[in-house]
Amino acid sequence: MTKITAAITAVGAYIPEYRLTNKELETLVDTNDEWITTRTGIKERRILKDASLGTSYMAIKAAEDILKKKNLDPKEIDMIIVATATPDMSVAATAAYVASEIGATNAFGYDLAAACSSFLYGMSTAASYIASGRYKKVLVIGADKMSSIVDYTDRTTCIIFGDGAGAALFEPNEEGLGLQDEYLRSDGVGRNFLRIEAGGSLNPATHETVDKKQHFIKQDGKTVFKYAVSSMADACVNVMKRNDLTNEDVDWLVAHQANKRIIDATANRMGLKDENKVLINIEKYGNTTSATIPLVLFDYEKQFKKGDTLVFASFGGGFTWGSIYLKWAYNSN
Ligand code: UT7
């Protein structure tokens, strides 16, 4: 019997129009373009300005992009995972709403919350369902409206995050392409260093939590940075080693875009000498949390060739991190 693997067969995206530039941030907090650029690599990020719209708006647009490109009947979709740290609301899964809005009436869906690693974990889930033979079309959408949880008076976070959505369709492959291996990990120590303090069951919302600004994202950037650099690089090197991949074998590094310095350090540990293999778009979008990885796929899709070796990497709140080795399954154009 032919082994079934799970391949990405299409990518889609939605990016809000409004560009929040480093220059504009200079008018909001004590910062400057030079500091932001050299410390993070970010020049601007997109913001979903309409306060009446949530993460689902962007997730739906990214999903519709794929439906259009593939000329796909939404009724064929079996499952939808919305990877997000900013669901429309708690309890009611954003994925269920997205499925209904795009007409995926034969699908079930749920949200996957693992902060910046949500999309990577979602890839793993989708691929497992496909490889098991249980489902044939699984849509993984990474979407976050980070502007809904960012304090625009806090210069240590507001310069980093942006809004956006990206999506990937997973389907069975019988040529051995698609997801090959993964190394995923988590460590609860992370909740001391990157979190939203209130609004969950541990510390429910009160007038006081609002007054104390405890519903905004906060991080100890330096500590998170250190963990991110070592964990992301370790995960990638691990995946390379156990699959006998040399630096020459890796065609593309698709990393979570949190800080260009973290990505460069990871590429360095992997021995990637050709900087063109290290895919970067952080300058345009900032850190869109669950959306960074599919947005990289979307921006660079045309450069990927069938059979190319992609190594994915992420690190995020929790902490959650990991690496995935995937063989690209199609040529664009
Ligand atoms: O995606 C989820 C995971 N998150 C991450 O991976 C984020 C990881 N962390 C980082 O990317 C970096 O730590 C930051 C970009 C958040 C900060 O960069 P850093 O090089 O670690 O800066 P720092 O926090 O050590 O601050 C250095 C200096 C400080 O001033 P002093 O104490 O040296 O005088 C800060 O007060 O820079 C100051 N600073 C700023 N200056 C201008 C902090 N934020 C800013 C700012 N503009 N926005």
Side-chain angles (χ1 to χ4, degrees), residues 141-252:
I141 307 168
D144 267 305
K145 186 183 176 185
M146 294 305 290
S147 60
S148 66
I149 54 168
V150 163
D151 175 1
Y152 286 94
T153 64
D154 175 6
R155 70 175 182 172
T156 67
T157 52
C158 74
I159 56 131
I160 298 169
F161 295 105
D163 302 339
L169 180 66
F170 284 78
E171 294 187 88
N173 185 283
E174 295 190 357
E175 297 175 280
L177 302 171
L179 199 142
Q180 307 292 313
D181 193 19
E182 64 183 31
Y183 176 92
L184 308 177
R185 289 292 183 274
S186 61
D187 183 346
V189 71
R191 76 196 225 159
N192 300 309
F193 307 113
L194 176 52
R195 62 185 176 179
I196 294 176
E197 288 165 354
S201 58
L202 193 62
N203 191 9
T206 61
H207 287 292
E208 198 191 348
T209 60
V210 172
D211 291 344
K212 286 164 113 179
K213 296 188 164 194
Q214 289 179 309
H215 296 273
F216 291 123
I217 188 166
K218 291 196 181 83
Q219 72 168 342
D220 171 350
K222 243 188 172 55
T223 306
V224 177
F225 186 93
K226 277 188 203 145
Y227 274 98
V229 167
S230 63
S231 308
M232 222 156 96
D234 283 351
C236 292
V237 169
N238 213 309
V239 157
M240 285 171 71
K241 267 195 190 141
R242 62 191 202 190
N243 291 282
D244 293 324
L245 295 174
T246 66
N247 52 354
E248 299 286 323
D249 296 327
V250 177
D251 294 303
W252 311 102

Side-chain angles (χ1 to χ4, degrees), residues 26 31 106 117 161 183 187 199 203 239 271 289 301 307:
E26 286 178 11
T31 191
N106 293 317
S117 297
F161 295 105
Y183 176 92
D187 183 346
N203 191 9
V239 157
T289 303
E301 181 190 18

Side-chain angles (χ1 to χ4, degrees), residues 275-289:
E275 64 178 29
N276 294 321
K277 291 182 169 187
V278 184
L279 304 182
I280 305 280
N281 62 6
I282 194 171
E283 72 283 359
K284 296 196 286 183
Y285 311 130
N287 180 351
T288 53
T289 303

